[in-house]
Amino acid sequence: MELVTPGLGLIFWQLVTFLLVLFLLTKFAWKPIMRALNEREASIENALSAAEKAKLEMQGLKAENEKLLAQARLERDRILKEATEAGNHMIEAARNKANEEGDRMIANAREAINTEKRAAIAEVKNMAAALSVEIAERILRKELSNPQAQQALAQDYIKEVTLN
Amino acid sequence: MNSVSKSLLMKKLFVLLFSLLTISAYAAEAPAEEGGGFKPSDMILHHVADEHKWEFAHGASLYLPVILLDNGQVHVFSSKNFFNEHDEEVAYNGYVVEHGHIYKANEEGEPIEDYKGLYDFSITKNVASLFLSVTLLLIIFCVIARRYKTNAGKAPKGIQSFFEPIIIFVRDDIAKANIGPKYARYMPYLLTIFFFIWFNNLLGLMPGSANLTGNIAVTMSLAVMTLVITLFSANKSYWSHIFATPGVPWWLAPIMIPVEVIGIFTKPFSLMIRLFANITAGHIIILSLFSLIFIFESLAIGPLSVAFAVFMNFLELFVGLLQAYIFTLLSAMYFGGAVEEHDHVEDMGYGDGH
C-alpha cells in the first residue's frame, strides 16, 4: 500500500515545480523553438516552391523553345517545299518554253521548207514551161521549115477558126 | 496425441513452473524470517520509495530539509536530526520518521498513528531529484532555444540537432496526428511532459538516484494535469458525446451517462498507473536481480545477475523512452478527443478507437 499511496508533499512540489517549468519552458524554450522550426520549414517550403516554379518556368521555356523549333522546322520544310516547287515549276516552264520554241522552230522550218518547195516546184514548172516552149519552138521551127507543113498547119488553124 | 492430453500436459507444465516460482519465492523470504539477515523485499521497497535523506551509498548521505506543517505551524529543520551517529532513526522535536513518513512522536519517541493536522512538505529525495531534473530540462532547452536564435535559418548543430528530430516527432506524429489543426496550443504541455518523463525515467536508472516517475504522486499529478487540460479544452460535442451519446436510444441514458462519466476518469487513471507500474516494475526487477546475489550468498550468481541486470537496464532505457512516448501520445489523443468536431461516431469520440 505504501507504494500506491501518493504523498501530499510530493504532489505539491510536483505540481508547483511542473507548472513553473511548463511556464518557463513555454516562454523561453518551446515558443522560440517552435517558431524557429516553423520559420525554417516555411523558408524551406518557399525555397522548394520557388524551385518548383523555376522548374515549371524552365519547362515552359523549353516547351516554348521546342515550339519555336518546331515552327522553324515547319517553316524550313515549307520553304524547301516551295523552293522545290518553284524549281520544278521553273524547269517545267523552261521545258515547256523549249518545247514550244522547238515546235515553233520546227513549224517555221516546215513552212520555210514548204515555201522553198513551192518556189522550187514553181521554178521547175516555169523551167519546164520554158523548156517545152523552147522544145516546141525548135520542133515548130523544124516542122515549119518545109512549106507543106506550114500549109497544113495554117489549114488546121483556119479550120479551127471557122468552126468557132 | 489428441488435444485433451496436450492441454493436460500444458496444465502440468504450468503447475510445475508455478511451484518452482513459489519455491524460489519462499527461498528468498526464508533468511528474512530469521531476523538480522538480508530482506530483499524491504530493501527493494526502501529503494523504490521516497525518503528524507539522499543516500548515494552507505555513509554518503545528503540530509535534505524537512518542512512540516503542523496545525498551521511551519517547522523547518534538517533531516539529519532524525538520525543519530549510528544512522539509526531517532525522534526530534516531537517528530519521528518511520519508513519514509514523518509522524508526531509521543514521549517515548514512538509515532502516534492517528495524529491529525500534520502535513509533510519536506524536500524529500524525490523532490530533490525533481528539482535536479527540471534544472537539467531548463538548462538544456534554453540552450537549444538560444541556438535557434544564434543559428537562425541554418541547419541544426550539436545538441540542437539531437533534440530537434524528437521535438518534430512530438509535433508531427503525436500532436498533429492526434489533435488536428488546433495542435499548436497543446505543444508546450506535450513537449514538457514528454521530456520531463523521459529525463526522469533515465535519471531514475542512474545508481543512487530517486525513482521519481515510478512514484504514484508524480504520475498522479501528471495525469491530473492531462485530465484538467482535457476538461477545460473540451468542446460542446465532447460533452454531448458524454451526456447524449449519438446513436444511443434515450432510455439507455441511465447506463450510458455513468459509464461515460467514469470513462473521463479512467483514462487519466490508466495514465497514472501505466507510468508508475512500468517504471517501478523495472526498478524492482533490477533490484531483485541484484538481491539474488545476497539471497544465495554466492559470488557465482554475480555474473549471472549482472548480465541479467545489464539486459534489464537496456530494456529500461527503451521503456523509459517508450513510456514517455505513450504518456504523451495518450494525452494528445485525449486532447484530440476533446477538441475534435465530431462528424462520425465510429470512434466514440476519442479518436483512439476505445
Side-chain angles (χ1 to χ4, degrees), chain A residues 45-70:
Chain A
E45 195 85 9
N46 283 344
L48 280 178
S49 65
E52 189 69 19
K53 229 166 82 185
K55 206 173 115 190
L56 281 178
E57 253 167 47
M58 280 286 291
Q59 271 174 355
L61 276 177
K62 215 174 138 192
E64 190 84 358
N65 281 347
E66 215 111 287
K67 220 172 92 187
L68 278 176
L69 212 71

mmCIF file of all heavy atoms in Angstrom, chain A residues 45-70:
data_model
loop_
_atom_site.group_PDB
_atom_site.id
_atom_site.type_symbol
_atom_site.label_atom_id
_atom_site.label_comp_id
_atom_site.label_asym_id
_atom_site.label_seq_id
_atom_site.Cartn_x
_atom_site.Cartn_y
_atom_site.Cartn_z
ATOM 1 N N GLU A 45 9.945 25.481 -47.434
ATOM 2 C CA GLU A 45 8.760 25.332 -48.286
ATOM 3 C C GLU A 45 8.809 26.338 -49.429
ATOM 4 O O GLU A 45 8.587 25.999 -50.589
ATOM 5 C CB GLU A 45 7.524 25.571 -47.421
ATOM 6 C CG GLU A 45 6.241 25.109 -48.028
ATOM 7 C CD GLU A 45 5.985 23.637 -47.758
ATOM 8 O OE1 GLU A 45 6.718 23.033 -46.950
ATOM 9 O OE2 GLU A 45 5.086 23.107 -48.371
ATOM 10 N N ASN A 46 9.138 27.600 -49.041
ATOM 11 C CA ASN A 46 9.211 28.649 -50.054
ATOM 12 C C ASN A 46 10.263 28.333 -51.090
ATOM 13 O O ASN A 46 10.028 28.469 -52.293
ATOM 14 C CB ASN A 46 9.542 29.992 -49.393
ATOM 15 C CG ASN A 46 8.332 30.576 -48.718
ATOM 16 O OD1 ASN A 46 7.215 30.146 -48.985
ATOM 17 N ND2 ASN A 46 8.540 31.531 -47.842
ATOM 18 N N ALA A 47 11.444 27.907 -50.570
ATOM 19 C CA ALA A 47 12.538 27.601 -51.493
ATOM 20 C C ALA A 47 12.126 26.488 -52.438
ATOM 21 O O ALA A 47 12.361 26.550 -53.648
ATOM 22 C CB ALA A 47 13.775 27.202 -50.707
ATOM 23 N N LEU A 48 11.460 25.479 -51.863
ATOM 24 C CA LEU A 48 11.036 24.352 -52.696
ATOM 25 C C LEU A 48 10.021 24.801 -53.735
ATOM 26 O O LEU A 48 10.112 24.423 -54.898
ATOM 27 C CB LEU A 48 10.428 23.257 -51.815
ATOM 28 C CG LEU A 48 11.438 22.364 -51.107
ATOM 29 C CD1 LEU A 48 10.715 21.365 -50.233
ATOM 30 C CD2 LEU A 48 12.292 21.622 -52.124
ATOM 31 N N SER A 49 9.059 25.625 -53.281
ATOM 32 C CA SER A 49 8.039 26.042 -54.248
ATOM 33 C C SER A 49 8.644 26.942 -55.307
ATOM 34 O O SER A 49 8.250 26.882 -56.470
ATOM 35 C CB SER A 49 6.861 26.712 -53.542
ATOM 36 O OG SER A 49 7.291 27.901 -52.944
ATOM 37 N N ALA A 50 9.643 27.777 -54.867
ATOM 38 C CA ALA A 50 10.318 28.627 -55.852
ATOM 39 C C ALA A 50 11.054 27.759 -56.869
ATOM 40 O O ALA A 50 11.010 28.019 -58.079
ATOM 41 C CB ALA A 50 11.297 29.566 -55.149
ATOM 42 N N ALA A 51 11.706 26.715 -56.351
ATOM 43 C CA ALA A 51 12.427 25.813 -57.246
ATOM 44 C C ALA A 51 11.456 25.156 -58.211
ATOM 45 O O ALA A 51 11.721 25.024 -59.406
ATOM 46 C CB ALA A 51 13.172 24.758 -56.439
ATOM 47 N N GLU A 52 10.308 24.764 -57.643
ATOM 48 C CA GLU A 52 9.288 24.119 -58.467
ATOM 49 C C GLU A 52 8.811 25.073 -59.560
ATOM 50 O O GLU A 52 8.653 24.711 -60.716
ATOM 51 C CB GLU A 52 8.121 23.711 -57.563
ATOM 52 C CG GLU A 52 7.089 22.847 -58.233
ATOM 53 C CD GLU A 52 7.597 21.458 -58.560
ATOM 54 O OE1 GLU A 52 8.619 21.030 -57.964
ATOM 55 O OE2 GLU A 52 7.004 20.806 -59.411
ATOM 56 N N LYS A 53 8.628 26.346 -59.111
ATOM 57 C CA LYS A 53 8.163 27.358 -60.054
ATOM 58 C C LYS A 53 9.206 27.556 -61.158
ATOM 59 O O LYS A 53 8.870 27.633 -62.352
ATOM 60 C CB LYS A 53 7.911 28.679 -59.326
ATOM 61 C CG LYS A 53 6.559 29.286 -59.658
ATOM 62 C CD LYS A 53 6.189 30.378 -58.699
ATOM 63 C CE LYS A 53 6.809 31.703 -59.030
ATOM 64 N NZ LYS A 53 6.514 32.717 -58.002
ATOM 65 N N ALA A 54 10.494 27.621 -60.713
ATOM 66 C CA ALA A 54 11.575 27.795 -61.681
ATOM 67 C C ALA A 54 11.595 26.632 -62.661
ATOM 68 O O ALA A 54 11.782 26.814 -63.858
ATOM 69 C CB ALA A 54 12.907 27.909 -60.951
ATOM 70 N N LYS A 55 11.354 25.443 -62.072
ATOM 71 C CA LYS A 55 11.348 24.254 -62.913
ATOM 72 C C LYS A 55 10.232 24.353 -63.953
ATOM 73 O O LYS A 55 10.437 24.067 -65.136
ATOM 74 C CB LYS A 55 11.156 23.016 -62.031
ATOM 75 C CG LYS A 55 11.736 21.751 -62.623
ATOM 76 C CD LYS A 55 11.664 20.622 -61.617
ATOM 77 C CE LYS A 55 10.749 19.551 -62.103
ATOM 78 N NZ LYS A 55 10.474 18.554 -61.057
ATOM 79 N N LEU A 56 9.053 24.766 -63.437
ATOM 80 C CA LEU A 56 7.917 24.914 -64.344
ATOM 81 C C LEU A 56 8.221 25.941 -65.428
ATOM 82 O O LEU A 56 7.915 25.733 -66.605
ATOM 83 C CB LEU A 56 6.669 25.343 -63.571
ATOM 84 C CG LEU A 56 5.943 24.224 -62.826
ATOM 85 C CD1 LEU A 56 4.762 24.782 -62.074
ATOM 86 C CD2 LEU A 56 5.477 23.157 -63.808
ATOM 87 N N GLU A 57 8.851 27.053 -64.960
ATOM 88 C CA GLU A 57 9.207 28.103 -65.919
ATOM 89 C C GLU A 57 10.159 27.565 -66.968
ATOM 90 O O GLU A 57 10.005 27.806 -68.168
ATOM 91 C CB GLU A 57 9.858 29.267 -65.186
ATOM 92 C CG GLU A 57 8.942 30.477 -65.095
ATOM 93 C CD GLU A 57 9.469 31.489 -64.115
ATOM 94 O OE1 GLU A 57 10.679 31.802 -64.182
ATOM 95 O OE2 GLU A 57 8.686 31.945 -63.270
ATOM 96 N N MET A 58 11.162 26.820 -66.469
ATOM 97 C CA MET A 58 12.133 26.208 -67.370
ATOM 98 C C MET A 58 11.431 25.312 -68.370
ATOM 99 O O MET A 58 11.714 25.340 -69.567
ATOM 100 C CB MET A 58 13.127 25.367 -66.561
ATOM 101 C CG MET A 58 14.224 26.166 -65.910
ATOM 102 S SD MET A 58 15.422 26.706 -67.115
ATOM 103 C CE MET A 58 16.172 25.137 -67.529
ATOM 104 N N GLN A 59 10.484 24.528 -67.800
ATOM 105 C CA GLN A 59 9.735 23.638 -68.671
ATOM 106 C C GLN A 59 8.957 24.446 -69.697
ATOM 107 O O GLN A 59 8.906 24.070 -70.873
ATOM 108 C CB GLN A 59 8.780 22.785 -67.850
ATOM 109 C CG GLN A 59 9.439 21.485 -67.386
ATOM 110 C CD GLN A 59 8.541 20.706 -66.464
ATOM 111 O OE1 GLN A 59 7.470 21.176 -66.099
ATOM 112 N NE2 GLN A 59 8.981 19.533 -66.087
ATOM 113 N N GLY A 60 8.382 25.571 -69.218
ATOM 114 C CA GLY A 60 7.646 26.446 -70.128
ATOM 115 C C GLY A 60 8.545 26.967 -71.222
ATOM 116 O O GLY A 60 8.202 26.921 -72.411
ATOM 117 N N LEU A 61 9.734 27.427 -70.758
ATOM 118 C CA LEU A 61 10.701 27.944 -71.730
ATOM 119 C C LEU A 61 11.097 26.873 -72.726
ATOM 120 O O LEU A 61 11.169 27.111 -73.933
ATOM 121 C CB LEU A 61 11.947 28.441 -70.998
ATOM 122 C CG LEU A 61 11.857 29.860 -70.445
ATOM 123 C CD1 LEU A 61 13.119 30.195 -69.689
ATOM 124 C CD2 LEU A 61 11.665 30.853 -71.589
ATOM 125 N N LYS A 62 11.325 25.685 -72.167
ATOM 126 C CA LYS A 62 11.746 24.587 -73.015
ATOM 127 C C LYS A 62 10.651 24.279 -74.039
ATOM 128 O O LYS A 62 10.923 24.088 -75.233
ATOM 129 C CB LYS A 62 12.018 23.355 -72.151
ATOM 130 C CG LYS A 62 13.170 22.514 -72.656
ATOM 131 C CD LYS A 62 13.455 21.406 -71.658
ATOM 132 C CE LYS A 62 13.720 20.111 -72.362
ATOM 133 N NZ LYS A 62 13.721 18.985 -71.423
ATOM 134 N N ALA A 63 9.414 24.269 -73.538
ATOM 135 C CA ALA A 63 8.278 23.999 -74.422
ATOM 136 C C ALA A 63 8.196 25.073 -75.497
ATOM 137 O O ALA A 63 7.989 24.785 -76.682
ATOM 138 C CB ALA A 63 6.997 23.966 -73.607
ATOM 139 N N GLU A 64 8.425 26.321 -75.017
ATOM 140 C CA GLU A 64 8.395 27.453 -75.954
ATOM 141 C C GLU A 64 9.451 27.258 -77.037
ATOM 142 O O GLU A 64 9.178 27.387 -78.232
ATOM 143 C CB GLU A 64 8.672 28.733 -75.169
ATOM 144 C CG GLU A 64 8.432 29.989 -75.936
ATOM 145 C CD GLU A 64 6.978 30.412 -75.903
ATOM 146 O OE1 GLU A 64 6.151 29.690 -75.309
ATOM 147 O OE2 GLU A 64 6.668 31.435 -76.491
ATOM 148 N N ASN A 65 10.672 26.909 -76.536
ATOM 149 C CA ASN A 65 11.777 26.670 -77.464
ATOM 150 C C ASN A 65 11.426 25.573 -78.454
ATOM 151 O O ASN A 65 11.657 25.701 -79.653
ATOM 152 C CB ASN A 65 13.033 26.260 -76.702
ATOM 153 C CG ASN A 65 13.706 27.462 -76.095
ATOM 154 O OD1 ASN A 65 13.379 28.593 -76.444
ATOM 155 N ND2 ASN A 65 14.641 27.234 -75.194
ATOM 156 N N GLU A 66 10.871 24.521 -77.888
ATOM 157 C CA GLU A 66 10.508 23.383 -78.715
ATOM 158 C C GLU A 66 9.504 23.826 -79.789
ATOM 159 O O GLU A 66 9.616 23.460 -80.950
ATOM 160 C CB GLU A 66 9.864 22.315 -77.841
ATOM 161 C CG GLU A 66 10.217 20.920 -78.299
ATOM 162 C CD GLU A 66 11.108 20.229 -77.305
ATOM 163 O OE1 GLU A 66 12.299 20.581 -77.210
ATOM 164 O OE2 GLU A 66 10.591 19.363 -76.615
ATOM 165 N N LYS A 67 8.553 24.664 -79.311
ATOM 166 C CA LYS A 67 7.516 25.141 -80.218
ATOM 167 C C LYS A 67 8.152 25.972 -81.340
ATOM 168 O O LYS A 67 7.853 25.783 -82.529
ATOM 169 C CB LYS A 67 6.500 25.988 -79.451
ATOM 170 C CG LYS A 67 5.070 25.739 -79.882
ATOM 171 C CD LYS A 67 4.100 26.438 -78.961
ATOM 172 C CE LYS A 67 3.762 27.820 -79.456
ATOM 173 N NZ LYS A 67 2.956 28.577 -78.491
ATOM 174 N N LEU A 68 9.055 26.875 -80.873
ATOM 175 C CA LEU A 68 9.744 27.725 -81.855
ATOM 176 C C LEU A 68 10.513 26.876 -82.851
ATOM 177 O O LEU A 68 10.468 27.106 -84.068
ATOM 178 C CB LEU A 68 10.707 28.668 -81.141
ATOM 179 C CG LEU A 68 10.061 29.927 -80.566
ATOM 180 C CD1 LEU A 68 11.080 30.740 -79.798
ATOM 181 C CD2 LEU A 68 9.478 30.770 -81.701
ATOM 182 N N LEU A 69 11.190 25.861 -82.264
ATOM 183 C CA LEU A 69 12.000 24.981 -83.101
ATOM 184 C C LEU A 69 11.124 24.261 -84.114
ATOM 185 O O LEU A 69 11.453 24.181 -85.314
ATOM 186 C CB LEU A 69 12.712 23.971 -82.205
ATOM 187 C CG LEU A 69 14.070 23.521 -82.699
ATOM 188 C CD1 LEU A 69 15.066 24.658 -82.564
ATOM 189 C CD2 LEU A 69 14.530 22.326 -81.881
ATOM 190 N N ALA A 70 9.980 23.777 -83.586
ATOM 191 C CA ALA A 70 9.058 23.060 -84.462
ATOM 192 C C ALA A 70 8.553 23.988 -85.554
ATOM 193 O O ALA A 70 8.474 23.615 -86.728
ATOM 194 C CB ALA A 70 7.897 22.518 -83.632
#
